[in-house]
Amino acid sequence: MAEQLIELNVTGMHCNNCAMSIHKLLEKKGLQNILVDFAGEEVKFSTNDDSKLPEVIKGIENLGFRVIDDISLHSPAFYDRVENKFIFCALFTAPLLLHMLLPWHFLHQPVLQLILCLPVFIVGCIHFGKSAWSSVKGGVPNMDVLIFIGSTSAFVYSLAGTIQNLGEQYQFYETCATIITLVLLGNVLEKRSVTQTTSAVKDLIKFQQVNANRIVDGNIEVISAKEVYPGDTLVVNQGDKIPVDGEILSGSASVDEAMLTGESMPVEKDKYDKVIGGTIVVNGNFHMLATKVGSNTILSQIIDLMKKAQAAKPPVQKLGDKVASIFVPAVILIALITFVLTYFAGGAGMQRALMNAIAVLVISCPCAMGLATPTAVMVGLGRAAKNGILIKGGDTIEAVAHTKYVVFDKTGTLTTGKFSINEIRAEDGVEPDVIRGIITAIEERSNHPIAKSLVEGLKKQPQQKVILKSVKEEKGLGMRAEDIFGNHYFLGTAKHNTNDHFNLSLYKNQILLAQIAIDDEVKPETASLIAKLKKMGIVPVLLSGDKKNRCLKVASQIGITEVHAEMLPDEKLKVIDIYKQKGKTVMIGDGINDAPALTKADVGVSMNDASQVAIQSASVVLLNTDLHSVIKFLQISKHTLLTIKQNLFWAFAYNIVAIPVAACGFLNPMVGAFAMAFSDVVVIGNSLRLKVKKVD
């Protein structure tokens, strides 16, 4: 059976530890390509045997999570909402805390305190106990294990004191209730903050949720974009979101593509132009043919890439994951040692020993370590996406942070990729119409910028039609073709060409037919980009298959001193390898011949108008054509990594300082619960700063 991708919507995950327990379960079941996104509440995996699916769903639900059909339609029950649990517990906890401040003697009664604490304890048992047991079963004990043990210890100790009528010094009902209530408050704030970290993906998903006007037998019917099929004819009016990808059949419009490219200026679209689903018609209207729908649209692919990217772990996270996996057993051990030393060695009595041990349990916070990296990665990738930069993996962010070299392809990257034909010189006895016909027939089969420009430039000139049987593109060389009469053609760069004015040569059966001179403009922002890279301590390099004199001319115009010209794809690989040995290397390119080099570099960056092969080979895609996106990408990556390090430092430092302070008896368990509840919020809050932080 063919391997198929399974996607499940899973609710109840609230941090990376939850995701790790599901990941471990799926690994044990032998599933492949596992992706668990706790913030997006999604689980994906590949399997050859879909009969395993019920068993997998049951396994996930046995861990304490819920698998549902549609996350957008899912609304948790009133009693399942953490906000409602917090409000309920706060109403009972407030009087328990007030008894320490108000001179109302009836509030000091142990039985009344038990009655007030019991509902809170039951909610805590259901909320934290269920999660704690599930995490232990999943092999990744989470923070809820510590909260459950701490609050239960305080409750059982107080209950024993009440039953035996041992007096007020045995009453810690307020400690039990306050721990549960404060941690629930932390969960409420954490949930809201984590939701904000995934806002970029959610914003893009909103662009998909539109209606379409479909023409059926001359009438217009309004349907959901999900119901559009390839081949449908749609009407799109001013102010509408374009429902799916397609081509304009008639009409024209100005289209705002900012949600994809980050560019504020609308793009003019006419008949036969391609339009992208989710973009907005600012002015005009048109009829369009739907070509790509559902998961095949550009927007769907970008959303999918972003979700995968958010789940890809940077190497810096490995330490946090290792510590988090042994953290809970270690804290329980420290709490036991604290209890034993305080009670037996310190002679401080049962009450003091128990309070110190509970303080150790409730102040420690493994979740802060679990949230440190993914929340920063989510916000960083989201900010990049809103600037028209699609980063395919969280691991890319760390790889790019210490960049030493940025290697540029020339054509279509540093230059506009829009060529103008200066001259076509035909050999004696060869008709220009024949030359133009052969060039058009060959180049209309290629996606290369030069090919597109040649076809466009010759479109309105007289041509003699040539029918080709086969066309083959040779990376870095040119195009080979055969016509229906068995004649063989080659159109491409000829290294032995002595006249540097001509870039291309056309051969028929190995006999030169013509030479072609074309020119390409340097992008206006290129020189300032190179200057900024140098200011950042990064060495710019030009690596191209073009003629040496042309490469040197472009390099001198924009300020690049390291130039490698007339390079074939395999030679480009060797050059990239040399630079990689000297330091972190980023390669920026757009053609088929750049694909191997993009893969070889530490980070490959592709332009949006690049070939499909180049886009697939790259780790980063610039959705707009402005090269300043390169600087923005480097800056966002640098600040995202800095945020991850700040988060991890806080998570480790907090636990390293807080646990010994609690063990030494300098901390009330209620203060510990308060500190723990807000340690996660500090980490997520620092990650959210990336949304607005200056990265220049």
Side-chain angles (χ1 to χ4, degrees):
M1 189 184 284
E3 190 173 76
Q4 64 182 116
L5 181 70
I6 305 291
E7 299 182 25
L8 301 175
N9 298 311
V10 180
T11 63
M13 296 185 285
H14 63 267
C15 82
N16 214 42
N17 278 26
C18 301
M20 281 167 66
S21 63
I22 293 178
H23 204 284
K24 271 195 173 183
L25 169 79
L26 300 179
E27 276 183 342
K28 282 178 189 171
K29 292 192 180 291
L31 301 168
Q32 303 295 318
N33 304 317
I34 301 163
L35 177 75
V36 185
D37 175 13
F38 75 89
E41 300 186 312
E42 280 188 330
V43 173
K44 295 182 183 179
F45 54 87
S46 299
T47 179
N48 294 322
D49 182 8
D50 58 4
S51 64
K52 280 185 179 179
L53 189 57
E55 183 192 332
V56 170
I57 291 172
K58 190 179 177 185
I60 292 171
E61 294 193 329
N62 283 343
L63 289 177
F65 308 106
R66 278 187 66 197
V67 179
I68 57 172
D69 291 333
D70 190 342
I71 208 87
S72 61
L73 301 175
H74 174 68
S75 180
F78 180 83
Y79 50 83
D80 277 340
R81 293 174 65 88
V82 71
E83 294 90 347
N84 296 337
K85 289 178 184 176
F86 163 67
I87 293 165
F88 176 82
C89 290
L91 292 172
F92 287 93
T93 304
L96 283 169
L97 285 173
L98 285 172
H99 96 274
M100 295 188 292
L101 305 171
L102 298 172
W104 294 347
H105 293 291
F106 72 92
L107 286 174
H108 293 252
Q109 294 297 319
V111 175
L112 179 62
Q113 289 190 23
L114 170 60
I115 291 166
L116 287 169
C117 180
L118 191 59
V120 180
F121 179 64
I122 291 168
V123 169
C125 279
I126 294 168
H127 184 81
F128 299 114
K130 185 182 171 188
S131 169
W133 175 240
S134 303
S135 72
V136 171
K137 279 202 299 182
V140 188
N142 64 12
M143 179 188 76
D144 293 341
V145 174
L146 305 176
I147 303 305
F148 180 71
I149 294 172
S151 58
T152 303
S153 302
F155 183 80
V156 170
Y157 182 73
S158 305
L159 185 62
T162 302
I163 292 168
Q164 295 175 43
N165 201 20
L166 295 173
E168 201 171 300
Q169 69 269 29
Y170 278 83
Q171 306 309 311
F172 293 103
Y173 291 115
E174 77 281 348
T175 301
C176 170
T178 305
I179 288 169
I180 291 167
T181 304
L182 284 174
V183 177
L184 284 171
L185 173 61
N187 284 357
V188 170
L189 298 172
E190 179 191 305
K191 182 184 167 190
R192 290 183 178 178
S193 302
V194 167
T195 302
Q196 289 180 51
T197 65
T198 58
S199 62
V201 171
K202 285 176 179 167
D203 288 347
L204 288 175
I205 289 170
K206 281 178 191 169
F207 282 108
Q208 290 183 306
Q209 295 164 351
V210 295
N211 288 330
N213 301 317
R214 180 165 63 187
I215 300 176
V216 180
D217 299 328
N219 298 316
I220 293 176
E221 63 174 16
V222 180
I223 57 169
S224 163
K226 291 178 184 175
E227 298 173 67
V228 176
Y229 288 95
D232 283 353
T233 302
L234 310 175
V235 179
V236 186
N237 297 314
Q238 188 169 315
D240 289 352
K241 279 180 190 164
I242 298 170
V244 295
D245 296 0
E247 293 179 4
I248 295 178
L249 296 173
S250 62
S252 62
S254 302
V255 179
D256 178 2
E257 295 184 345
M259 64 97 182
L260 281 179
T261 64
E263 291 178 359
S264 55
M265 292 298 290
V267 181
E268 297 302 319
K269 301 281 185 179
D270 288 305
K271 191 175 180 180
Y272 303 132
D273 282 344
K274 288 182 169 63
V275 287
I276 301 165
T279 55
I280 300 165
V281 177
V282 179
N283 190 25
N285 55 69
F286 53 81
H287 286 197
M288 65 173 278
L289 178 73
T291 55
K292 290 180 183 175
V293 303
S295 60
N296 293 320
T297 63
I298 289 173
L299 186 55
S300 290
Q301 288 169 2
I302 287 172
I303 291 167
D304 193 47
L305 278 172
M306 282 192 69
K307 285 177 179 177
K308 284 179 184 170
Q310 289 175 350
K313 296 178 182 180
V316 75
Q317 187 176 341
K318 287 175 185 172
L319 176 63
D321 283 352
K322 277 182 185 173
V323 174
S325 64
I326 58 165
F327 187 88
V328 173
V331 169
I332 293 170
L333 183 64
I334 293 167
L336 285 170
I337 293 168
T338 300
F339 178 81
V340 171
L341 290 178
T342 310
Y343 185 68
F344 293 105
M350 175 67 79
Q351 175 193 331
R352 185 73 177 163
L354 186 65
M355 286 300 103
N356 288 2
I358 291 172
V360 169
L361 289 169
V362 300
I363 198 165
S364 49
C365 186
C367 266
M369 285 179 272
L371 290 165
T373 304
T375 53
V377 167
M378 286 171 198
V379 178
L381 294 178
R383 178 158 181 182
K386 287 189 174 178
N387 282 277
I389 305 157
L390 184 59
I391 303 172
K392 292 187 186 178
D395 46 350
T396 302
I397 284 169
E398 190 168 347
V400 84
H402 307 292
T403 301
K404 193 171 179 186
Y405 299 97
V406 174
V407 180
F408 293 93
D409 173 46
K410 179 177 77 71
T411 306
T413 304
L414 294 174
T415 59
T416 58
K418 292 174 183 172
F419 295 81
S420 55
I421 300 171
N422 276 355
E423 185 185 352
I424 297 178
R425 182 184 291 174
E427 294 297 298
D428 292 340
V430 182
E431 290 295 319
D433 291 12
V434 174
I435 300 294
R436 289 192 284 265
I438 296 168
I439 293 171
T440 299
I442 293 172
E443 296 291 49
E444 66 187 2
R445 304 274 191 99
S446 171
N447 279 325
H448 195 281
I450 291 176
K452 289 178 180 176
S453 300
L454 285 171
V455 172
E456 187 63 30
L458 296 174
K459 195 161 65 176
K460 293 176 182 173
Q461 295 187 35
Q463 302 175 13
Q464 188 172 314
K465 193 165 182 65
V466 177
I467 300 170
L468 299 177
K469 190 165 73 178
S470 65
V471 178
K472 184 185 172 189
E473 190 158 352
E474 292 191 0
K475 291 179 183 178
L477 290 173
M479 306 285 288
R480 293 196 183 275
E482 184 185 352
D483 68 17
I484 54 172
F485 301 110
N487 295 306
H488 292 269
Y489 300 92
F490 173 76
L491 174 58
T493 46
K495 286 196 173 183
H496 61 262
N497 190 352
T498 52
N499 189 339
D500 281 338
H501 171 63
F502 294 102
N503 324 63
L504 302 171
S505 301
L506 174 64
Y507 292 86
K508 178 181 179 181
N509 299 325
Q510 298 184 340
I511 297 167
L512 183 68
L513 289 188
Q515 293 178 309
I516 304 128
I518 53 174
D519 264 342
D520 185 12
E521 288 178 19
V522 174
K523 288 180 180 175
E525 72 272 17
T526 307
S528 65
L529 163 71
I530 300 302
K532 282 180 183 174
L533 286 175
K534 287 180 176 177
K535 205 173 177 183
M536 292 166 74
I538 295 170
V539 179
V541 179
L542 178 58
L543 177 62
S544 176
D546 204 355
K547 293 282 181 68
K548 189 171 183 179
N549 71 317
R550 292 180 184 278
C551 290
L552 290 171
K553 182 183 172 186
V554 169
S556 64
Q557 275 180 267
I558 59 179
I560 293 180
T561 53
E562 297 196 24
V563 180
H564 303 268
E566 300 183 23
M567 291 283 159
L568 296 174
D570 58 326
E571 293 170 328
K572 285 186 177 185
L573 283 179
K574 289 172 188 169
V575 173
I576 293 291
D577 214 24
I578 291 165
Y579 280 108
K580 272 181 75 176
Q581 288 168 24
K582 296 185 200 173
K584 289 280 184 190
T585 303
V586 173
M587 165 79 190
I588 304 174
D590 76 324
I592 288 174
N593 59 325
D594 297 322
L598 289 171
T599 308
K600 182 77 173 175
D602 291 302
V603 175
V605 180
S606 164
M607 313 298 282
N608 183 40
D609 51 1
S611 71
Q612 200 60 36
V613 180
I615 288 173
Q616 286 168 0
S617 305
S619 311
V620 180
V621 180
L622 304 181
L623 296 172
N624 59 45
T625 52
D626 183 0
L627 274 174
H628 283 300
S629 297
V630 175
I631 299 291
K632 186 67 85 176
F633 159 59
L634 293 171
Q635 289 168 337
I636 289 171
S637 297
K638 180 183 171 186
H639 281 273
T640 302
L641 186 63
L642 179 65
T643 303
I644 291 170
K645 287 178 176 176
Q646 288 169 346
N647 287 351
L648 286 172
F649 174 78
W650 162 257
F652 281 108
Y654 163 82
N655 283 295
I656 288 166
V657 172
I659 292 172
V661 167
C664 293
F666 298 128
L667 204 67
N668 182 294
M670 290 186 286
V671 176
F674 181 82
M676 191 284 299
F678 284 90
S679 63
D680 290 352
V681 179
V682 169
V683 164
I684 302 168
N686 190 45
S687 296
L688 288 171
R689 281 196 316 126
L690 260 176
K691 279 189 172 185
V692 292
K693 184 182 179 186
K694 272 193 173 182
V695 294
D696 295 351

